[in-house]
Each structure stands twice: as structure tokens, then as C-alpha cells.
Amino acid sequence: MRGRDVIPGCTQTGSKAPKQWVQEVAPTHLEKGKGCRVWDVDGNEYVDYPMALGPVILGHNYPAVREAVARQLQDGTMFSMPHPLQVEVAELIVDSVPCAEMVRFGKNGNDATTLAAKLARAHTDRNVIATQGYHGWPDIWTAATEMDRGVPDAVGRMTESFEYDNIESLETIFEDNPGEVAAVVTTPMNLQKPTDDFLERVRELAREEGALLVFDEVLTGFRYALGGAQEYFDVEPDIACFAKGMANGFPISAIAGREDVMRLLERDDVYFSETYAGEAMSLAAAKACIETIREEDVVDHLWRQGETLIEGYNDIAAEFGLSDYTTCEGFGPRSSIQFYDTDGEMNRLAKSLFMQECLQRGILFSGSQLPSYSHDDETVEHTLAVYREAMAELADAIDAGDIESRLNGPPAGTTLRQRTGEHD
Ligand code: PMP
């Protein structure tokens, strides 16, 4: 692969690396997409399920977004003063998202999550960030993971991790750091729904302790509901971060929240500025995308198609007696197919064989299912037929005890999210 000579890891995004796929079976580069389908450089066609890891919520090359961007291109993309579209998109977000009183834009999810932590520190004059979930590559987030090489120890001492759906683990952080916690930063939903009013209790605890509550809605925003998981669960954070799903794949993110906190950015000593934030092409894409989600049946469609895939998959696993080995977890808008070995650990070989069988039948299977508005009934039905064939092969291999020898290339690896227990 030529890319390996000039690009470390041959990727810009961990989960897209060639090593995340069954090598020599999976394509390494995709060059075209339309609706729910993509084509590799050799012209092979696949039904796409990771959908670029979530951003492509309407479908590749979706006409309303393409046309909005094409119109904007005629007029230019970057200017020396803000483009008026920034106001329109901010207003759309304020209208759609419960906690949004004011909005700033960035380019990546981590711009928003890292700025949220900074604003919380500025607002509270405290340093510790209590965090759960994946929020991006910056030091503040990776300090709390095994990928902390290159991160100063001092940064690590101010990042404390807690577990999703485990309120005691958050209480412990407050007990150990009295009066020091600036923010609780959490993904509102992972592959499990919260139980025992977890989100309400996090909301309450943060308020009692004088810390800000930040929802990282990079993945849940515009997907579980127009107003994100905060609308779906009816729990309002102080600040929320958005990126995937807001512009159908164009590079834009947003931080939205309480006016008094957001207005800190008007101070001379609280700094956030990026040359490309507010670039007009992505704002045009965001406007077209959010309007489509508002006006059409997008969110219901994602739930419906996703639930059909989850139920269909779990039925097929049961049919082959493999429910202990593999399950599809999560909810319609985002689910993940997991493979386990007999002691409950993740089974990369089983996943790799299933992936191989799906790829050979034209399904781009990574385990993640992030359906788009373009995944129609016929495609979902076809996908389940392919899953049945792949499951038959896996069942046969488990019986014969020869999964590894059926692989036509090195097995798929694991991502940081998978290693941190988030399995995506
Ligand atoms: N938060 C969550 C929940 C995410 O899923 C991601 C991206 N996988 C990020 C933050 C970071 O976003 P980005 O990669 O755009 O910086």
C-alpha cells in the first residue's frame, strides 16, 4: 500500500485505519459515495454502515446539501469578516437544542469538547474535569486513557474518570476533589440507556457541587432527536457539544449552551479562535442538513431502520444458537455488533470472519451501524439476508474450531474506544 510510505498509519482517523479492517479483504480507500452506498478505488460497491463514523446522517452526496454547498462555492468560502450564514445556523441550533442560548462554531468535535472544559474552568475558577466517554485526541481527554504518552503528568492530574451509569463513581470524584471540579463532561448515552435516573442525578450532583454539566453530543446530536439526547431524555446540560450529524459530513462543530457561560468568550482573557471556524461552505451544509432533519422524517427513519437491523441481527444470532457469542447492542440511531469469546472477552477473530463474509457480499461492516436517511427498506432487508449468510459461516467455523484459518488476511484490530470499553 503506497500510503504507508508517506502517511503514518495510513489514515487521519483511528477508526478508519486499514488495521481496523480484515486486511487484504477490506478495501483501504473509498472514493465515491451516493445515498447509503460507497465505492472503493477498484470500483467495488458496498452498502455503508459506519457512514464515515456518523457524520453522514442523510446519505452520501445528499441533494439538498450538495446543492446548498455548490451554490455557496460560486460565491466563495472564506472571507475576512464573518459570513451571515453563521447567524442563521446559530439561530437554527438555538431553536432546536434545549440548552442552546448561544453558539460558537469549530471544525472538529474535539474543538467543542476542549473548549467546553476551558469555559467550565474559566466560569468556576476550578481545574478538575470529571469525564466519561470519548471526547477526542487532546491531552485533557487522552490523559485519562492508556494512550497518554506525550501528555504531561500535570494535565493527567486534573482529569478524573468516572463510569457511565455509575453515580457513585462520580460522587467519589467530588469527594476526593472538594471544591475543585469545574465540569462533568459526559456522553449522555452510549450503547446502553441510563438507568435509575442516572442523567438526572448527574445533573443534580453537578448543580449541587457548583460544577458545570457538559453533554458531549458529538455522536448523539441531531440523531436521537433533533435536539439531541438532551431532548430525548429531557435532561438539560449547561453546555453541549455537536459535530457529527449536523452538516452531513462537512467539517463543522458547535458548542452551545448557557448565555452567561458562552459570553465568557467575549472577555479578552478567554481565548478561542480558529481561521477555518465559520467557513461558509460547511455553514451552508449545516443549514441544509439541520433544516432537512427538522422538516422531514429523518430521526424516526433512523430509529426505525436501526431497530429493524438490531432485532433482525439478534434473531439471526438466536437462530444459529450464537446469542452468547454475538449481540447487536444499542438503539436504532446507533448500534454496535459485538463478538465475545467464551470468557466474555471481545473476540476479534469471530468479528473478523463475520466482517470478511459481509465485505465479500458488498456490506461495509465494521460492527458499527449508523443508519442514514438514505438506508431504505430494501437495503436493510438485503443486509439482513447477508448477515444470515455470514452467521452461517461463523457458526460453521465455531463448530469446526477453525475461525482463524478461514480468514483471508490479518484480523481487524481494536480502536481506542473499543479498548476503553465503548466498543465502536
Ligand atoms: N466526542 C464524541 C462522542 C465522538 O464520537 C467524537 C468522535 N469520534 C469526538 C468527541 C471527537 O470528535 P472529532 O474526531 O471530530 O474531533
Side-chain angles (χ1 to χ4, degrees), residues 15 133 198 270-271:
S15 308
F198 173 70
V270 180
Y271 193 59

Short mmCIF file of all heavy atoms in Angstrom, two decimals, residues 15 133 198 270-271:
data_model
loop_
_atom_site.label_atom_id
_atom_site.label_comp_id
_atom_site.label_asym_id
_atom_site.label_seq_id
_atom_site.Cartn_x
_atom_site.Cartn_y
_atom_site.Cartn_z
N SER A 15 -10.28 5.10 13.71
CA SER A 15 -11.22 4.03 13.36
C SER A 15 -11.27 3.76 11.86
O SER A 15 -11.95 2.82 11.44
CB SER A 15 -12.62 4.38 13.85
OG SER A 15 -12.60 4.70 15.20
N GLY A 133 -16.43 8.77 28.77
CA GLY A 133 -16.67 8.68 27.34
C GLY A 133 -15.52 9.25 26.54
O GLY A 133 -14.58 9.83 27.08
N PHE A 198 -29.96 8.08 36.07
CA PHE A 198 -28.54 8.45 36.12
C PHE A 198 -28.31 9.89 35.64
O PHE A 198 -27.65 10.68 36.31
CB PHE A 198 -27.72 7.46 35.27
CG PHE A 198 -26.27 7.84 35.12
CD1 PHE A 198 -25.40 7.75 36.20
CD2 PHE A 198 -25.77 8.28 33.90
CE1 PHE A 198 -24.06 8.09 36.08
CE2 PHE A 198 -24.43 8.62 33.77
CZ PHE A 198 -23.57 8.54 34.86
N VAL A 270 -10.27 35.08 27.76
CA VAL A 270 -10.74 33.71 27.48
C VAL A 270 -10.72 33.55 25.96
O VAL A 270 -11.53 34.16 25.25
CB VAL A 270 -12.16 33.48 28.02
CG1 VAL A 270 -12.61 32.05 27.72
CG2 VAL A 270 -12.22 33.74 29.53
N TYR A 271 -9.79 32.73 25.48
CA TYR A 271 -9.49 32.77 24.04
C TYR A 271 -9.88 31.50 23.31
O TYR A 271 -9.48 30.40 23.69
CB TYR A 271 -7.99 33.02 23.87
CG TYR A 271 -7.62 33.38 22.45
CD1 TYR A 271 -8.17 34.50 21.82
CD2 TYR A 271 -6.71 32.60 21.73
CE1 TYR A 271 -7.83 34.82 20.52
CE2 TYR A 271 -6.37 32.93 20.43
CZ TYR A 271 -6.93 34.05 19.83
OH TYR A 271 -6.60 34.36 18.54
#
